Amino acid sequence: MKKISVIGGGHVGLVSAVCFANSGYDVILCERDIEKTEHIRTARPPFFEPSLEVLLKKTIDVGRLRVSTRIKDAVSNSEVTFVAVETPIKPDGSIDLTSIETSSAETGEALRGEEGYHLVVIRSTVIPGTTENVVRPIIEKRSGKRVGEDFGLAMQPEFLREGSAIEDTLNPNRIVIGEYDKRSGEVLERLCLDFYRGKAPPIIRMNLASAEMVKYASNAFLTMKISFINQVANLCEKMKEVDVVKVADAMGLDERIGRKFLNAGVGFGGPCLGKDLRAFINFSCQLGYTSEIFEAVLNVNERQARHVVDLAARELGGLKAKTIAILGLSFKPNTDDVKDSPSIRIINELLKEGASLVAYDPRAIENARLILGEKVRYASSALECLSDTDCCIVATEWDEFKRLSPQDFSELMRKPLLINGRRIFDPGVYGKSLRYVAVGLGASR
Ligand code: UDX
C-alpha cells in the first residue's frame, strides 16, 4: 500500500487525509498553521464536518495519520503527494496562486534528495494551465529533476461538498484524472482503484488543463442551475398560486434536467461557488472571451439576497426599527462556515435599512460574530430568536428549524410574519395560522 502525503489541512486536505488513513494507508498531513496543526494532532478538527471528529480521532489514535508543519517531512515519507492548498481570488477576480507556488517550491526542494519515482497530484482548484505552466516548472527547477522521468504530475479536481464531505469522498459520482503523461495517470488510477476496492466510480482520464477545466465548468453549471431557478421563482411570485417547488419537481423529472440544484432560495454562497465563478469569468476575460452566461449567473445571485429583504420590507411597510429574526447564518446546513453566506448578505442589507436583528444558528454563531460583531444580537435557540420579533427570515435550511411548529411562530413573535427563504415549511400548513411569504410562491387567490 502506498504511503501518502497531503499538503494543506483545509476541508479537502483534512477530509482526504482522514479518509485515506481510515482505509489503512499511512498518511502524513502537512499544515503550516501551527494552531490548526495542534488542533488536528489532538483530534479536534478546526472546522465542523459531520463524522470528521470521530474518524480523525480513530486515525490519530492508531497512528495512521501523522501531522507535520514541514512539507519536507511529508514528501520524504511518502510516494504520492496530494496538494490541497487554498487558492483564493484577488479583488479583481484573478486567482492568487501564492500557496500553490510556495508548496510547489517546497515539494521540489524535498524531492531533490529523494530517490525513486514520486507522484505529485494537484487537488486545489486552479485555473486551466496552472499545473503545467506554474507547478511543473517550479518543481523541476527546485528539484533538479524532470517530470515524466523522475517524478509524475497529475491533477485530480475534487467535488466534495461541505456538510457531506466524507460521504462525497467515499462515494463520488466520478473521478477525473488529469495527467502529464501516461505513467502519472496510471499510478493515480491504480491508487484510486485500490482505495475504492472494486467499487470505484467511473474514472475519466484526460490532460492536465482539461481536468482543471472540468472543475470550473462543473461548478459554473451548478451555479447556473441555482440562478436559473431563482429567476423562475421570482417570476412565480408575480403570479397567483404558482409555486416554484411544484415547477421544479416537475421539471426535475425530465432526465435531461434533473431535480438537484433546482432549490430556489436566497442564492448560493460558501467558499467555493462564488469564488470559482469569479475566477472563471476573470480567466475567460484573460483569453479575450466575454462569458455572458457566467456574469449573468453572478449578478442574479447577488440580487437574490436583496430580493428577500425587499419581500420583508413590502410586508412590513418598511424596515426601519423593525425587529427581525434571522434563522441560519451558515451558507448551508451541517457546516459552521459563513464564507460568502447569503445570510450575511441579507443581514447587511437589513442593517443598512435600519432594522434591528436577532440571529440564531446551531453551529455558525462564533464564525458569524467574527464578521458581524455585535451589530446583531445572537440568540441561544431558535425559539429565543423568534421572541418579540416582527418578522422571521429563514436563511439556512437546518433540520432543527424544520421542527418549528406554526404555533411557535404565532405564540412567540410580536407579529407572526414568516419569510421562508429556503422553502422548508409547507405553505398549506403554515400559511393557515401565519402571514406566510416564501421565495417562489405566488399569492393565493
Ligand atoms: C460546492 C460544490 O457542490 C462542490 O462540488 C465543490 O467541490 C465545492 O463547492 P459546497 O459549496 O460545499 O460545494 O456546497 P453546495 O451543496 O454545492 O451548495 C452551495 C450553495 O448553493 C449553498 O449556499 C446552497 O444553499 C446553495 N444551493 C444549492 C441552492 O441555493 N440551491 C440548490 O438547489 C443547491
Side-chain angles (χ1 to χ4, degrees):
M1 214 174 233
K2 292 220 173 306
K3 289 186 170 170
I4 288 172
S5 57
V6 178
I7 303 178
H11 240 94
V12 177
L14 181 55
V15 169
S16 320
V18 165
C19 289
F20 273 126
N22 196 51
S23 212
Y25 295 86
D26 272 326
V27 182
I28 174 154
L29 173 71
C30 175
E31 167 55 55
R32 63 177 61 241
D33 183 313
I34 294 179
E35 203 185 321
K36 254 195 202 170
T37 313
E38 222 21 65
H39 265 81
I40 300 170
R41 217 195 295 278
T42 49
R44 292 171 296 139
F47 48 83
F48 172 73
E49 182 64 43
S51 311
L52 182 61
E53 190 164 353
V54 177
L55 283 185
L56 176 63
K57 185 166 173 7
K58 201 169 131 196
T59 52
I60 295 264
D61 285 352
V62 295
R64 285 251 177 270
L65 178 64
R66 288 185 299 129
V67 194
S68 171
T69 50
R70 296 178 60 231
I71 288 184
K72 173 112 186 74
D73 273 350
V75 173
S76 304
N77 287 298
S78 61
E79 296 144 89
V80 181
T81 298
F82 290 93
V83 180
V85 295
E86 52 163 16
T87 47
I89 54 169
K90 300 177 191 163
D92 67 354
S94 64
I95 191 163
D96 179 350
L97 291 175
T98 311
S99 297
I100 281 282
E101 288 163 351
T102 318
S103 58
S104 300
E106 288 178 35
T107 302
E109 296 289 348
L111 286 176
R112 182 169 276 278
E114 294 296 316
E115 284 179 12
Y117 184 82
H118 195 104
L119 177 67
V120 179
V121 185
I122 302 300
R123 300 230 59 198
S124 307
T125 299
V126 289
I127 287 300
T130 304
T131 307
E132 171 83 50
N133 303 321
V134 178
V135 176
R136 174 193 167 183
I138 297 178
I139 300 184
E140 283 191 325
K141 185 165 171 232
R142 296 296 187 111
S143 64
K145 297 186 171 200
R146 283 186 63 82
V147 66
E149 289 169 23
D150 313 305
F151 72 94
L153 188 58
M155 197 281 150
Q156 187 196 346
E158 58 75 22
F159 303 105
L160 59 82
R161 293 162 299 171
E162 287 190 14
S164 50
I166 289 177
E167 171 66 22
D168 288 353
T169 304
L170 298 179
N171 300 298
N173 293 158
R174 80 299 208 186
I175 292 170
V176 175
I177 295 180
E179 59 197 38
Y180 171 78
D181 60 353
K182 228 172 158 184
R183 185 176 178 194
S184 307
E186 248 142 46
V187 173
L188 183 54
E189 180 167 0
R190 269 203 305 274
L191 175 62
C192 293
L193 290 173
D194 185 53
F195 177 76
Y196 289 105
R197 302 206 173 99
K199 286 193 192 143
I203 297 180
I204 307 156
R205 284 169 58 179
M206 56 191 73
N207 62 29
L208 295 169
S210 301
E212 291 163 332
M213 192 67 163
V214 170
K215 172 64 193 250
Y216 280 101
S218 300
N219 271 3
F221 191 80
L222 294 175
T223 56
M224 185 179 71
K225 279 189 98 172
I226 300 169
S227 279
F228 180 91
I229 202 66
N230 280 339
Q231 289 227 303
V232 173
N234 298 350
L235 208 51
C236 289
E237 286 167 27
K238 294 188 181 296
M239 291 181 274
K240 294 248 183 287
E241 293 186 335
V242 180
D243 185 351
V244 73
V245 175
K246 280 231 154 57
V247 175
D249 286 346
M251 282 171 69
L253 287 172
D254 184 329
E255 283 176 7
R256 294 168 302 174
I257 298 173
R259 179 63 177 84
K260 289 180 181 161
F261 276 72
L262 283 186
N263 293 321
V266 294
F268 58 82
C272 293
L273 291 188
K275 174 198 82 139
D276 291 351
L277 190 57
R278 283 193 179 84
F280 205 29
I281 292 171
N282 183 279
F283 168 68
S284 102
C285 275
Q286 303 294 324
L287 295 182
Y289 184 73
T290 310
S291 48
E292 282 144 341
I293 292 184
F294 310 149
E295 283 177 25
V297 166
L298 200 56
N299 292 338
V300 169
N301 193 56
E302 274 162 14
R303 283 202 301 270
Q304 196 63 11
R306 181 67 224 184
H307 174 73
V308 177
V309 172
D310 288 341
L311 289 179
R314 184 191 73 195
E315 295 297 316
L316 290 168
L319 294 162
K320 207 165 176 51
K322 298 289 183 335
T323 306
I324 299 181
I326 305 288
L327 288 182
L329 292 160
S330 58
F331 80 97
K332 62 184 267 187
N334 298 325
T335 175
D336 58 0
D337 199 339
V338 295
K339 272 184 226 102
D340 199 23
S341 173
S343 174
I344 307 283
R345 289 198 279 272
I346 293 172
I347 288 173
N348 282 330
E349 289 293 321
L350 289 167
L351 288 172
K352 264 195 250 160
E353 302 284 333
S356 118
L357 303 181
V358 47
Y360 170 71
D361 188 286
R363 293 266 174 194
I365 290 182
E366 229 176 281
N367 285 337
R369 204 191 289 270
L370 296 176
I371 298 177
L372 298 166
E374 302 308 317
K375 287 189 261 179
V376 170
R377 188 158 59 81
Y378 302 95
S380 54
S381 69
L383 294 179
E384 186 193 319
C385 186
L386 295 178
S387 295
D388 290 327
T389 53
D390 300 306
C391 166
C392 167
I393 299 180
V394 179
T396 319
E397 68 278 32
W398 282 94
D399 277 346
E400 187 180 322
F401 303 156
K402 295 178 187 163
R403 291 193 285 272
L404 292 168
S405 67
Q407 290 70 36
D408 290 331
F409 291 94
S410 55
E411 283 166 18
L412 290 167
M413 294 175 73
R414 197 153 47 205
K415 287 188 205 135
L417 163 64
L418 172 59
I419 312 261
N420 192 354
R422 293 290 196 175
R423 300 308 307 263
I424 53 174
F425 302 113
D426 180 353
V429 177
Y430 288 73
K432 282 201 182 107
S433 45
L434 297 172
R435 251 166 87 203
Y436 178 97
V437 177
V439 169
L441 182 67
S444 41
R445 274 179 208 281

